[in-house]
């Protein structure tokens, strides 16, 4: 965060729930799941669930 933009507070992404390899990678990078969207994306001729994931800047403190 400091290198790119110290005022940036979080980075978000969307990933298909069935893409377990990507979900595991993002979790290992420090992303957390903020939301679970049901039948959100049309992929391979069907509607699929997606996760909304976020990585927070450790400079800022958040209450959960």
């Amino acid at each position: 965060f400091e290198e790119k933009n110290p005022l940036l507070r979080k980075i978000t992404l969307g990933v298909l729930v069935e893409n377990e390899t990507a979900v595991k990678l993002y979790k290992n990078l420090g992303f957390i799941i903020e939301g679970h969207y049901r039948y959100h994306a049309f992929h391979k001729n069907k509607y699929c669930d997606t996760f909304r994931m976020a990585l927070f800047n450790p400079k800022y403190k958040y209450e959960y």
Side-chain angles (χ1 to χ4, degrees), residues 1-32:
F1 285 94
E2 288 300 319
E3 286 181 24
K4 299 298 180 189
N5 183 348
L7 298 177
L8 188 65
R9 59 181 195 86
K10 81 176 182 177
I11 299 169
T12 63
L13 61 86
V15 62
L16 295 174
V17 171
E18 64 188 43
N19 190 347
E20 295 172 4
T21 303
V23 172
K24 183 177 179 181
L25 171 69
Y26 296 136
K27 284 183 176 182
N28 286 337
L29 291 172
F31 283 81
I32 62 166

Side-chain angles (χ1 to χ4, degrees), residues 36-47:
H36 184 157
Y37 297 102
R38 305 277 183 198
Y39 307 105
H40 187 72
F42 193 74
H43 179 69
K44 294 185 179 178
N45 295 318
K46 66 176 183 172
Y47 285 96

